[in-house]
Amino acid sequence: MKPAFLKRMFNVSLFLVGSLGHVSGETPPSARNITDTPFYIDVQKDSYLGVVGNWKNLGQDFINWQSNYNLSAYVLILGLIIGVLSIHYLIFGRTQIKKITHGGKLVPWFSLFNRVVHWLAAVSMSILVLTGLHITFGNVFGGGGFMRFTRDLHVIFGLFFILPAVLMFIMWVKNAIIAGYDFKWLFRMGGYLERDPIHLPQGKFNAGQKIWFWEGTVGGAVMFYTGYLMYSFEATTDNLRISAIVHNVLGVAIIVFFILHIYMVIFIHKYSMRSMISGKKDEIVATELHSEYMKKVKEQTESVAEG
Amino acid sequence: MANQSVTVPIREASGPSSKYSPARMRFYVDVKRCIECGGCEVACKNENNVPEGIARIRVVTVNEGKQGETNVAIPCMQCSNAPCIAVCPVDALFNRADGIVHVNKDTCIGCGYCLYACPFGAPQFPTGSPFGKRGVMDKCTYCAAGPEEPFSAREKELYGSNRIAEGKLPMCASVCATKALVAGDGEEVAKVVRQRAAARGGGTAWGWSAAYPAGK
């Protein structure tokens, strides 16, 4: 009798304390937690699974990636590459450029066709990168009509990019095949992290440029295909989720090399811009930097002369 | 622009802990009652002037013509912690205080991520523009329209009718002939679910398993 009475009194006192606490701290209805009612999806889970298929597996992965990691990955990787390049410019920026001698005669380097294709690809790639970043950071820029326009631009230039990408693949694929000396170049990061720039052997393109080539053409094809799926919805929901993740991950990888490529020509190899505009390169620079390619050219001209 | 100071349905307190709290609006689709009449689909399209090609609610039949055939009407289920809100890159989607999920059509860019995340296939995208270009996302609004001035012409044009602000329930649930589609405050809906489950005797006295016992 007695313990039961005590227990009841204890409950009443708890109730009083609880209600007092509520009266003193009145919260507006809208501020209260509304998520504590049961989920009806659980009541009839089996029928829904029959309708929507096994939604949970990839759906959960996609939601996790998109809501927790996608933006953080972009901020982290873009911040990292910009930070690393700024530090690189402060430390090596001036020393590396002075050591390269100029003043030799000019040799033809890029044909007119090469240059036109390159600049078509450059313009469309720049627009793709800018509009893609605009959409990725949509919550910062706020969506709306202007972003619908940039999304249309992204689609249009994604289509247009096929033309220069295919032409570029055909004209440079023989120069972009990975050779043995490229691993040496990669191992020393092309000598860009050393105070005295030594000119590691390289072909017409160095290993970094080769990676950028493969990323831009083959990676571009993957970007085009996943983007097409997401635009047209012509796939199962699971494949659309995979497409979205692949598009975003490959996108940030392409942007990293896009930034690297522009940094190199603006801050390190300033003279390189000339070869992509006029098509001619300084002969001393060509023989020092692109030693393997010049060797090959010399052999070819000799064999032609002999023949 | 967005006017979110809409009055939301309020429920009276059931316990000592609160005087009033916002109602938590929910749908319940009774798969044992739905007879696939399609009344909800027609009522929704008529009430909200839904564009062609968009189904804000649709009736899906599982195991058609076989034992255990089940019909289920699927609107937007107005999730708490909704996946579409989590993945939207422009934060166009949000939960109202009463749990209804709204899409702001001025912000939405029609990227389709909400469709990849939604377990119910609720997000709809109007097609028919040149080159198959998608419009902004359209979905079941729980007949609560969207983040616009209530009863304005713009709200009507963008989102459809606002029956919740009039104190009425969604049109689909109102017309459901067998009361398979139940809408309302979560606590009230839960009572209906419990009553029906009790009346069926735990699933053995009614339905397919009772009418067609295994092995017969």
Side-chain angles (χ1 to χ4, degrees):
Chain A
M1 193 74 188
K2 225 178 178 186
F5 176 71
L6 278 176
K7 200 176 174 187
R8 185 177 293 169
M9 284 310 289
F10 180 66
N11 282 344
V12 167
S13 66
L14 272 187
F15 170 72
L16 283 174
V17 170
S19 50
L20 277 175
H22 174 69
V23 170
S24 57
E26 191 92 20
T27 44
S30 60
R32 260 183 235 122
N33 187 16
I34 52 164
T35 61
D36 52 357
T37 37
F39 293 102
Y40 292 106
I41 175 82
D42 295 332
V43 177
Q44 41 196 317
K45 207 170 169 184
D46 293 337
S47 344
Y48 275 125
L49 281 183
V51 177
V52 298
N54 196 358
W55 166 80
K56 218 178 160 189
N57 287 341
L58 273 177
Q60 199 61 57
D61 292 338
F62 172 71
I63 294 162
N64 268 346
W65 170 260
Q66 196 55 36
S67 58
N68 297 333
Y69 302 114
N70 191 44
L71 264 192
S72 330
Y74 267 77
V75 170
L76 191 77
I77 292 173
L78 293 185
L80 210 66
I81 189 76
I82 291 169
V84 164
L85 291 183
S86 315
I87 292 167
H88 180 267
Y89 183 69
L90 288 178
I91 298 175
F92 303 110
R94 278 145 207 285
T95 56
Q96 290 209 330
I97 189 122
K98 275 180 188 165
K99 295 280 166 66
I100 299 165
T101 42
H102 293 264
K105 70 178 203 313
L106 297 172
V107 290
W109 197 252
F110 291 123
S111 70
L112 181 67
F113 178 66
N114 285 354
R115 282 174 275 150
V116 168
V117 169
H118 173 269
W119 286 113
L120 283 180
V123 168
S124 43
M125 177 65 96
S126 307
I127 291 170
L128 284 174
V129 165
L130 289 176
T131 53
L133 284 176
H134 189 225
I135 296 164
T136 305
F137 292 95
N139 55 351
V140 180
F141 297 110
F146 181 59
M147 197 170 286
R148 261 170 251 152
F149 170 68
T150 54
R151 187 175 156 258
D152 291 346
L153 272 187
H154 198 77
V155 172
I156 291 165
F157 279 90
L159 271 171
F160 178 76
F161 184 67
I162 307 170
L163 174 75
V166 167
L167 292 177
M168 188 182 273
F169 186 83
I170 293 167
M171 75 188 189
W172 278 340
V173 67
K174 60 182 185 296
N175 297 318
I177 292 164
I178 307 287
Y181 46 81
D182 286 329
F183 292 102
K184 202 174 161 191
W185 191 96
L186 276 179
F187 187 66
R188 294 186 68 165
M189 297 298 281
Y192 288 116
L193 298 180
E194 291 158 46
R195 216 158 247 289
D196 302 315
I198 42 128
H199 297 310
L200 295 159
Q202 52 179 273
K204 184 161 184 169
F205 301 117
N206 63 41
Q209 285 173 303
K210 285 179 182 177
I211 293 173
W212 175 224
F213 171 86
W214 291 108
E215 207 177 24
T217 54
V218 178
V222 175
M223 290 298 272
F224 174 77
Y225 182 62
T226 52
Y228 165 75
L229 289 185
M230 289 198 290
Y231 180 79
S232 64
F233 283 167
E234 304 261 321
T236 61
T237 314
D238 261 3
N239 286 345
L240 289 175
R241 288 163 181 155
I242 296 170
S243 298
I245 295 175
V246 167
H247 201 84
N248 285 339
V249 172
L250 196 56
V252 75
I254 285 176
I255 292 171
V256 163
F257 272 81
F258 178 78
I259 293 173
L260 260 174
H261 194 65
I262 291 175
Y263 169 78
M264 279 296 164
V265 77
I266 290 181
F267 293 108
I268 304 296
H269 295 304
K270 289 172 184 161
Y271 55 89
S272 283
M273 189 62 112
R274 193 171 61 193
S275 63
M276 199 37 97
I277 292 171
S278 69
K280 290 187 166 59
K281 209 179 185 75
D282 197 297
E283 196 180 22
I284 295 173
V285 174
T287 40
E288 271 190 29
L289 274 175
H290 307 273
S291 49
E292 296 287 330
Y293 178 68
M294 290 308 275
K295 244 185 254 171
K296 208 183 277 175
V297 168
K298 204 173 268 178
E299 277 168 25
Q300 270 175 5
T301 46
E302 274 166 13
S303 67
V304 166
E306 280 165 23
Chain B
M1 254 295 290
N3 176 8
Q4 292 173 31
S5 62
V6 188
T7 45
V8 299
I10 302 286
R11 70 166 163 239
E12 293 227 15
S14 52
S17 60
S18 61
K19 205 172 166 193
Y20 293 108
S21 65
R24 178 62 177 90
M25 304 311 275
R26 294 220 183 262
F27 274 125
Y28 169 64
V29 193
D30 196 333
V31 293
K32 294 201 190 303
R33 278 188 176 226
C34 180
I35 56 167
E36 201 197 352
C37 66
C40 47
E41 295 176 348
V42 176
C44 174
K45 289 192 181 216
N46 185 50
E47 177 70 19
N48 292 305
N49 295 322
V50 179
E52 197 186 329
I54 288 184
R56 288 186 178 179
I57 182 170
R58 64 210 188 285
V59 181
V60 177
T61 305
V62 191
N63 294 331
E64 189 162 10
K66 294 178 199 151
Q67 183 174 331
E69 176 177 318
T70 309
N71 307 305
V72 54
I74 307 186
C76 168
M77 297 305 281
Q78 323 293 340
C79 311
S80 316
N81 193 12
C84 54
I85 298 175
V87 299
C88 181
V90 292
D91 296 342
L93 288 143
F94 61 94
N95 262 118
R96 254 165 56 147
D98 56 358
I100 295 175
V101 178
H102 268 341
V103 55
N104 188 338
K105 287 194 179 181
D106 291 327
T107 314
C108 176
I109 58 170
C111 67
Y113 278 19
C114 45
L115 178 67
Y116 312 160
C118 181
F120 307 107
Q124 306 279 309
F125 293 90
T127 50
S129 319
F131 309 112
K133 181 169 131 40
R134 285 202 296 273
V136 297
M137 192 264 265
D138 185 287
K139 74 171 190 66
C140 159
T141 61
Y142 205 88
C143 282
E148 274 292 332
E149 184 65 35
F151 311 125
S152 62
R154 188 171 156 73
E155 183 196 48
K156 184 92 184 165
E157 189 200 331
L158 279 181
Y159 305 102
S161 103
N162 193 344
R163 288 171 58 88
I164 295 293
E166 291 170 358
K168 299 171 183 165
L169 282 176
M171 199 64 199
C172 51
S174 304
V175 301
C176 183
T178 57
K179 297 284 165 275
L181 186 59
V182 183
D185 178 20
E187 288 189 359
E188 300 299 318
V189 175
K191 275 179 205 162
V192 175
V193 176
R194 277 196 292 273
Q195 271 172 12
R196 289 184 184 176
R200 284 168 199 161
T204 51
W206 194 91
W208 277 99
S209 52
Y212 306 101
K216 286 187 182 174

